[in-house]
Amino acid sequence: MAAAVPSRRFLLRPGFRTLRAFSSAVSSTPHARRPGPHTAERTSKSERQMRRKALPPRTEKMAVDQDWPSVYPVAAPFKPSAVPLPVRMGYPVKRGVPMAKEGNLELLKIPNFLHLTPVAIKKHCQALKDFCTEWPAALDSDEKCEKHFPIEIDTADYVSSGPSIRNPKAREVTLRVKCSSLNLDDHAKKKLIKLVGERYCKTTDVLTIKTDRCPLKRQNYDYAMYLLTVLYHESWKTEEWEKNKTEADMEEYMWKNSSSEKNVMETLLRISTAENKVQINKEELLGTKEVDDYQKSVVSLKNEGENEITLSRYKESVKRLLNLM
């Protein structure tokens, strides 16, 4: 307590606060540096370096008949100093014209095709010509191409304005092939159609497989070919339960060895016996035009369902079969 009393007295003096504020103000002020004898000379040199004249742009030095592919050999952002065209892009401000190419960021956002001029494409084709082969003379029609190359692959590339030149839709791959071009028997074809479901078009006989699960186009192409290979080999397999299939389990109605075939044969044989005709062989009855028309009408009625056309055909075939016309 004795040591604290003198300091309290010292704080109560009226001139202490003024001295404290003055000392803090003086201490916070930085010391001014005296200019040296060579400062003015150094400043003038730096100013002279800044005042150097900028070189003229490259476009003013370009010749009219220059080799443009050497200016833009590959895909690159827009360079205003290398493009001798008065390109403008951007929103016009105050009903003026769009911004010029110098310092225009809008021209840097989008991809350009300055490296794909007709002259550059011609040079590329000329360089690739040594690695190409001639088109086979035997493939002179679309039918022959479809016969020897039945698989059709569809891909798409997109050009869009965005932060990236890669579009997610470009990875999609669509594979098309006609089932008639595949080496399939009746059982394998029906099983393949059952496995693919809605991917098969009955009208055009085309199987369509679309893949987009993988991130790259090449991966989706390999996956589509893998699916086609698996479906082909799986359709040729015959499981044990398939051997026990009945007529009700069939994918479509089959005339051969069906109940309709047996009934019509028994009916025709009874009619021939009642009329005291010479007994006709079963194969001869199946080969007649009336039985063939009846077979087609029954198959269409069972597979396509009951409608006005199928019922009318069935009615007319029954009349001709029983000689009721």
Side-chain angles (χ1 to χ4, degrees):
M1 295 295 296
V5 173
S7 62
R8 191 175 298 175
R9 289 179 181 177
F10 185 71
L11 292 173
L12 293 176
R13 292 179 183 178
F16 177 74
R17 185 173 296 179
T18 306
L19 180 62
R20 186 179 179 183
F22 178 75
S23 63
S24 61
V26 172
S27 62
S28 61
T29 304
H31 296 282
R33 188 175 180 181
R34 296 182 178 180
H38 302 288
T39 306
E41 185 179 354
R42 286 198 299 266
T43 306
S44 61
K45 286 184 178 180
S46 61
E47 289 179 357
R48 284 199 299 269
Q49 291 177 0
M50 294 295 294
R51 292 174 183 174
R52 284 181 179 176
K53 294 183 179 180
L55 296 176
R58 184 181 176 185
T59 54
E60 297 182 4
K61 301 179 182 179
M62 289 182 175
V64 180
D65 56 347
Q66 68 170 342
D67 185 21
W68 180 253
S70 62
V71 180
Y72 264 87
V74 294
F78 183 81
K79 302 174 185 177
S81 62
V83 180
L85 300 173
V87 182
R88 291 180 176 270
M89 187 174 182
Y91 185 77
V93 182
K94 297 182 180 179
R95 298 183 180 180
V97 296
M99 295 177 58
K101 62 181 179 179
E102 289 80 6
N104 194 336
L105 296 179
E106 298 297 329
L107 292 171
L108 299 176
K109 295 178 182 178
I110 60 173
N112 59 76
F113 294 92
L114 296 173
H115 62 291
L116 293 179
T117 57
V119 179
I121 294 175
K122 187 176 181 180
K123 285 188 175 181
H124 281 292
C125 295
Q126 195 67 26
L128 295 174
K129 191 174 182 180
D130 298 335
F131 303 95
C132 299
T133 56
E134 295 183 0
W135 184 261
L139 301 177
D140 54 354
S141 63
D142 295 339
E143 291 76 11
K144 293 181 180 179
C145 292
E146 292 179 1
K147 179 181 178 181
H148 296 283
F149 301 95
I151 299 177
E152 181 181 350
I153 302 294
D154 288 348
T155 58
D157 294 324
Y158 297 86
V159 178
S160 59
S161 176
S164 175
I165 61 175
R166 307 193 183 279
N167 195 298
K169 296 181 181 180
R171 72 178 189 274
E172 297 178 359
V173 176
T174 304
L175 183 148
R176 294 187 182 90
V177 60
K178 284 190 175 182
C179 291
S180 58
S181 61
L182 302 175
N183 186 19
L184 300 173
D185 58 1
D186 186 66
H187 164 265
K189 183 178 180 180
K190 291 179 179 178
K191 189 172 182 179
L192 177 66
I193 296 173
K194 195 73 174 178
L195 289 172
V196 299
E198 297 179 354
R199 298 176 181 87
Y200 174 75
C201 181
K202 187 176 181 181
T203 306
T204 58
D205 191 36
V206 174
L207 169 62
T208 305
I209 299 176
K210 186 177 180 180
T211 56
D212 58 353
R213 294 187 177 185
C214 302
L216 299 180
K217 184 186 300 183
R218 180 64 187 182
Q219 294 173 341
N220 285 313
Y221 168 77
D222 294 339
Y223 182 55
M225 297 301 295
Y226 164 76
L227 290 177
L228 180 62
T229 305
V230 171
L231 289 171
Y232 177 81
H233 291 287
E234 191 68 24
S235 61
W236 274 100
K237 294 181 182 179
T238 304
E239 306 293 341
E240 291 296 331
W241 57 268
E242 295 184 51
K243 300 177 182 178
N244 301 325
K245 291 174 67 175
T246 61
E247 183 177 344
D249 299 327
M250 295 297 178
E251 292 79 7
E252 60 181 11
Y253 184 78
M254 302 295 296
W255 170 261
K256 189 176 182 181
N257 299 328
S258 63
S259 58
S260 298
E261 183 184 11
K262 296 177 182 179
N263 293 334
V264 73
M265 287 297 102
E266 292 178 0
T267 303
L268 293 177
L269 290 175
R270 288 178 183 178
I271 292 175
S272 62
T273 303
E275 294 178 355
N276 296 324
K277 291 183 179 180
V278 181
Q279 189 174 3
I280 304 175
N281 193 7
K282 181 179 179 181
E283 285 73 13
E284 294 179 359
L285 284 175
L286 291 176
T288 58
K289 186 178 184 301
E290 291 78 8
V291 176
D292 186 59
D293 293 341
Y294 178 76
Q295 171 189 346
K296 293 179 181 178
S297 63
V298 170
V299 171
S300 62
L301 181 64
K302 294 287 186 179
N303 294 331
E304 299 176 11
E306 296 183 1
N307 53 55
E308 185 177 355
I309 298 176
T310 56
L311 289 176
S312 177
R313 290 178 181 175
Y314 179 73
K315 176 183 176 181
E316 297 298 328
S317 64
V318 172
K319 287 181 178 181
R320 288 192 294 269
L321 183 67
L322 301 178
N323 197 14
L324 300 177
M325 299 296 290

